[in-house]
Amino acid sequence: RILWPDLSLKQICVAEPGGEPKALVKDLQSPNSVAVADGQVYWGDFGTRKIHKLGRSGSEVIVPYGKNSTSLVLDVARGKLYWTNFGTNAIYRANLDGRDMQPLITDLESPSALALASKAGKLYWLERPKGKLRRASVEGTQVEDVLNNLPDPWALAVLDVGEAQVVPIEKYSWTDEGEVLKVYISESSNPAAIASACAEGCLQVDFQPRGFTLRVCSDGPQFQLRILGLLQEVLPEKCKVRLSVGKRITLSLAKKDPKTAWSALCHRS
């Protein structure tokens, strides 16, 4: 799902890719930042000058002083929440439950966009009046300039250099079995991927009407099969994945139109 704050509607909005936007949280004042972790939604609000959370039990204020929180990031691995505050020219930190709030990096100049490289242990942010991109450790030390003399920087994203290597799965087979399609990733063609799946037991699949992404997670390389542009639509809620230990990974794709025979898996086949 995709989430964003809408200042005009005074809502946190949510939508599935290709779906219609809906209101997740209504009747806010001036929501201006949002982040998600472990099924819980956090947002900053210019109007209340607080940071809020929508958890499994409802909405609550977790930071009563989030004044001017222009950007918000979550570090689930360390259990921390970080945000920029251009009103006090600082970056703040708190636990995910809002406790132990503290200014982490001070004496900045209108810090705005904030990004986290969790595995590298670094925070990156922009100081627009100075045209600077800066960074520091997640403990607030080692503050340094990364780029200077930027004309008008607005947004920021960071590729975490500590991220695991992703190895594409290029060999697979498929069959049309009437109401479902079966996609097979066999041990004979992908021994490392199957061995990793059996050892770690971690398969992540994102089924969409016209494609899917399968990822085999591990402490080492992560193996991925991504198929886009399926020949016809499938029903994501009825699609399944199964691991046969030592043999194969099988994905079952439920056809939207079970009467139509497929001549290819996708338009690129």
Side-chain angles (χ1 to χ4, degrees), residues 176-254:
D176 185 338
E177 299 189 1
E179 294 186 354
V180 299
L181 301 167
K182 295 288 184 72
V183 179
Y184 301 103
I185 302 166
S186 66
E187 193 276 339
S188 59
S189 300
N190 301 275
I194 300 302
S196 180
C198 293
E200 302 293 333
C202 179
L203 299 177
Q204 296 178 350
V205 191
D206 178 23
F207 291 112
Q208 298 295 331
R210 286 280 188 170
F212 65 87
T213 302
L214 165 76
R215 178 167 288 192
V216 180
C217 303
S218 71
D219 292 333
Q222 297 188 9
F223 299 88
Q224 177 176 280
L225 174 61
R226 190 179 190 193
I227 300 293
L228 301 177
L230 289 173
L231 194 66
Q232 303 289 338
E233 288 192 16
V234 299
L235 302 173
E237 67 276 9
K238 294 185 177 181
C239 295
K240 300 177 181 179
V241 62
R242 179 169 60 89
L243 172 63
S244 300
V245 177
K247 294 182 179 180
R248 70 182 69 87
I249 297 170
T250 304
L251 296 109
S252 299
L253 308 179

Side-chain angles (χ1 to χ4, degrees), residues 25-256:
V25 187
K26 299 181 180 180
D27 302 323
L28 305 179
Q29 292 191 29
S30 299
N32 65 298
S33 56
V34 66
V36 183
D38 292 339
Q40 300 186 76
V41 181
Y42 296 73
W43 69 93
D45 193 310
F46 271 139
T48 64
R49 297 192 173 187
K50 298 173 182 177
I51 294 177
H52 307 252
K53 180 180 75 171
L54 179 64
R56 295 175 179 85
S57 58
S59 177
E60 61 180 303
V61 174
I62 62 166
V63 178
Y65 181 72
K67 178 184 178 182
N68 300 328
S69 53
T70 52
S71 189
L72 183 66
V73 296
L74 306 177
D75 188 350
V76 177
R78 298 175 180 86
K80 299 295 182 182
L81 163 70
Y82 307 90
W83 68 96
T84 51
N85 186 323
F86 69 82
T88 59
N89 291 313
I91 294 173
Y92 284 75
R93 177 176 71 179
N95 294 341
L96 290 177
D97 61 4
R99 293 181 299 173
D100 298 330
M101 185 193 80
Q102 60 181 187
L104 183 66
I105 306 168
T106 59
D107 299 322
L108 306 178
E109 185 169 338
S110 298
S112 53
L114 182 67
L116 170 70
S118 179
K119 293 183 180 179
K122 296 286 187 179
L123 287 167
Y124 291 76
W125 69 93
L126 294 174
E127 295 183 32
R128 291 186 59 227
K130 291 184 176 181
K132 286 187 174 185
L133 167 61
R134 309 184 76 189
R135 72 179 176 188
S137 76
V138 292
E139 297 301 324
T141 61
Q142 302 172 346
V143 178
E144 59 182 343
D145 294 350
V146 178
L147 294 172
N148 292 286
N149 302 315
L150 301 176
D152 195 14
W154 273 87
L156 182 62
V158 176
L159 176 64
D160 196 338
V161 296
E163 290 181 350
Q165 177 189 7
V166 177
V167 179
I169 296 173
E170 298 177 343
K171 295 181 179 181
Y172 61 90
S173 60
W174 71 280
T175 60
D176 185 338
E177 299 189 1
E179 294 186 354
V180 299
L181 301 167
K182 295 288 184 72
V183 179
Y184 301 103
I185 302 166
S186 66
E187 193 276 339
S188 59
S189 300
N190 301 275
I194 300 302
S196 180
C198 293
E200 302 293 333
C202 179
L203 299 177
Q204 296 178 350
V205 191
D206 178 23
F207 291 112
Q208 298 295 331
R210 286 280 188 170
F212 65 87
T213 302
L214 165 76
R215 178 167 288 192
V216 180
C217 303
S218 71
D219 292 333
Q222 297 188 9
F223 299 88
Q224 177 176 280
L225 174 61
R226 190 179 190 193
I227 300 293
L228 301 177
L230 289 173
L231 194 66
Q232 303 289 338
E233 288 192 16
V234 299
L235 302 173
E237 67 276 9
K238 294 185 177 181
C239 295
K240 300 177 181 179
V241 62
R242 179 169 60 89
L243 172 63
S244 300
V245 177
K247 294 182 179 180
R248 70 182 69 87
I249 297 170
T250 304
L251 296 109
S252 299
L253 308 179
K255 293 180 180 179
K256 185 175 182 179

